[in-house]
Amino acid sequence: MPLSVGEAFQGKHGISTKGLIASGLAATIGLCAILIFVIWQDYNQEALKARRAGANLVATIAADIDRNLELYGLSLQAVVDGLKEPDISKISPEMRQLVLFDRAATAKDLGSIFVLDNEGNVVLDSHTLNPAHSNHANRDYFLVQKYGLSGGLYLSSPWTTPDGDNLIAISRRLTNPDGSFKGAVVGTLRLAFFDKLFRQVHLGTGDSLTLVRDDGSIVMRAPFSFEDIGRNVASTPIFQQVVWAPAGFFKDVSRLDGIERLYVFQHIGEYPLTLNYGASVDAIYASWRVKAWVTGALTLLLCGIDATLIVFLVRALRRRSEAEYRLSIAAATDGLTQLYNRRRLDEILTETWREAMTTATPSACLMIDVDQFKNYNDAFGHQVGDEALKAIACCIKSSLPRSTDVAARYGGEEFAVLLPNASGDMAVAVGERIRASVLALRADQHGRIDSTPTISVGVASVVPRYGLQPRDLLKAADMALYEAKRNGRNCVEAARGLVDIKDVPRAA
Ligand code: GH3
Ligand code: MG
Ligand code: MG
């Protein structure tokens, strides 16, 4: 039985079409995977670049602050050392000023250096020979030195003067020869110093730079906001991360302005200060985001084009394959009866014969001829004759018991049936069934004068063996058909020597 176009197409071309779709899909997925990998690499590169730039910036500014504080600390040390000189009290106040306070103490943004006695009273001031009476006994820079808590140089918390100046102070302890507390040398430093330093850095949108004491109080912050100075951020997660390590980086959202940043921080020398630079995550990935969007959009476009091409290609392949299949069916089919044609019958017979040869099973053939068809045509015309041939073809086809049985139009008003693996008896039975089916058709036509004519059937069956040809089987069936015609038509005749046709005259 011929397969439907769809079935045959599926069987013959299904795999290659699926293969085409699968390879197209694999190529698309591969392309996407490569691009995702490249975009992800780019993302990491941006983070690395930002981290490196932040670390360099922090290191440079921290070194600057460290150096300035160290110089200022040395100025204080000079005062401490000078006060130890036995003759210092004997020289004139003007001379003492020059000896104790070097020029560094008059540098811009540095406040006064003053000397406190053991009760916190100002006894010497770098800016004046007659210091105003003031007491610093309750200030942290005095108390720390009084109780010996600093271990040397102390850097105070920031505070604001009544004049609106923001200051911090560094102090050193003065001791008597017996080691008891003699007072403290204190130098003040305007926070404007840090502000100027920070303003030299061109921060990007959303970036921040913060100088914070180890107790959590903010010394300076850029972008500058007056309220931030002195604010204690000790409880914030960001401070908790910077206070414990000498340097590092992390990502977090600021409590001060709600911006997510990549923070890079570093402690400043031996001072209780940390410089923390925050680069806005939005800004870090801004150019990467544009690149990722463009690349992603182009990839999607390419994938779309790819998919469209695959769809077109698959459709074209399908159409071509269907056309080829229809052509092959047409080449193997008889146009009038839709049975196989003789060419196809010959091919199938050769295949069946070869198969039967290997399995040593019998193959049977039926030759069928319409009786007195010339007269029928003459009586009712060729169109009616064609209809009769179609009806007989239907009877033949529907009488075949197995899907492996094959019916073909042999030529003119003759048909052939091939029954693989069928004995002579079975073939005769099939022949009888076909003949009866044609007769039944006539009965259904209720005695119409153009009722379908009868048929005669010749049957042969043989187990193929060396020396026999497929055409010998056809010939034997044809001989039996002649016998049926001689016996009066409308009957089935079996070839002599049904199973062994050695007596059949050999085909030329
Ligand atoms: P017999 O019983 O001995 O076979 O007699 P017959 O008339 O059938 O045999 P004959 O060979 O003399 O005639 C065969 C006829 O079949 C002749 C031809 O016009 C007719 N025929 C062959 N092919 C077709 C066809 O495709 N359509 C029609 N309508 N007739 C056809
Ligand atoms: Mg004939
Ligand atoms: Mg005939």
Side-chain angles (χ1 to χ4, degrees), residues 369-370 411-414 481 485:
D369 188 280
V370 184
E413 43 34 303
E414 282 181 35
L481 174 61
K485 291 281 181 188

Side-chain angles (χ1 to χ4, degrees), residues 188-315:
T188 58
L189 179 63
R190 286 192 193 89
L191 296 190
F193 163 75
F194 297 112
D195 185 33
K196 276 180 197 158
L197 195 63
F198 280 21
R199 280 179 203 276
Q200 286 169 15
V201 180
H202 295 287
L203 294 179
T205 317
D207 292 0
S208 72
L209 194 58
T210 310
L211 185 65
V212 64
R213 274 187 98 243
D214 281 1
D215 66 354
S217 53
I218 291 178
V219 176
M220 184 49 63
R221 186 171 189 274
F224 181 80
S225 163
F226 188 75
E227 296 84 60
D228 288 340
I229 307 305
R231 179 189 287 201
N232 197 290
V233 291
S235 61
T236 64
I238 291 177
F239 180 77
Q240 293 301 322
Q241 297 208 55
V242 304
V243 76
W244 300 113
F249 64 89
F250 60 92
K251 229 189 249 181
D252 211 330
V253 177
S254 164
R255 287 253 182 104
L256 295 178
D257 51 22
I259 295 175
E260 189 188 15
R261 295 189 175 90
L262 170 73
Y263 288 99
V264 184
F265 65 92
Q266 184 181 321
H267 266 71
I268 296 176
E270 295 301 313
Y271 304 98
L273 286 174
T274 299
L275 187 65
N276 191 10
Y277 168 68
S280 155
V281 168
D282 260 0
I284 291 174
Y285 296 116
S287 63
W288 170 85
R289 209 172 287 121
V290 172
K291 212 155 74 176
W293 272 112
V294 171
T295 317
L298 280 176
T299 310
L300 272 183
L301 189 71
L302 280 178
C303 290
I305 292 171
D306 195 17
T308 314
L309 282 178
I310 288 173
V311 167
F312 276 120
L313 202 60
V314 165
R315 277 193 192 156

Side-chain angles (χ1 to χ4, degrees), residues 299-418:
T299 310
L300 272 183
L301 189 71
L302 280 178
C303 290
I305 292 171
D306 195 17
T308 314
L309 282 178
I310 288 173
V311 167
F312 276 120
L313 202 60
V314 165
R315 277 193 192 156
L317 262 181
R318 204 180 275 268
R319 269 200 299 271
R320 203 186 72 175
S321 300
E322 280 180 5
E324 278 173 3
Y325 179 73
R326 282 182 207 284
L327 212 64
S328 71
I329 293 288
T333 310
D334 172 62
L336 180 70
T337 61
Q338 297 306 313
L339 298 182
Y340 283 130
N341 58 20
R342 184 163 172 181
R343 200 167 61 98
R344 183 67 189 134
L345 176 81
D346 287 341
E347 288 169 2
I348 296 172
L349 178 59
T350 310
E351 288 164 21
T352 309
W353 189 265
R354 198 178 301 130
E355 179 79 18
M357 194 94 134
T358 37
T359 54
T361 49
S363 287
C365 176
L366 277 65
M367 291 298 284
I368 301 165
D369 188 280
V370 184
D371 296 331
Q372 306 291 356
F373 197 52
K374 187 174 180 319
N375 296 344
Y376 188 81
N377 268 334
D378 293 347
F380 306 111
H382 270 75
Q383 279 72 23
V384 179
D386 285 351
E387 291 309 312
L389 287 178
K390 280 201 254 179
I392 291 168
C394 274
C395 290
I396 296 172
K397 209 168 169 183
S398 58
S399 301
L400 300 182
R402 303 166 305 179
S403 61
T404 48
D405 299 334
V406 173
R409 188 175 178 198
Y410 197 67
E413 43 34 303
E414 282 181 35
F415 299 90
V417 169
L418 200 60

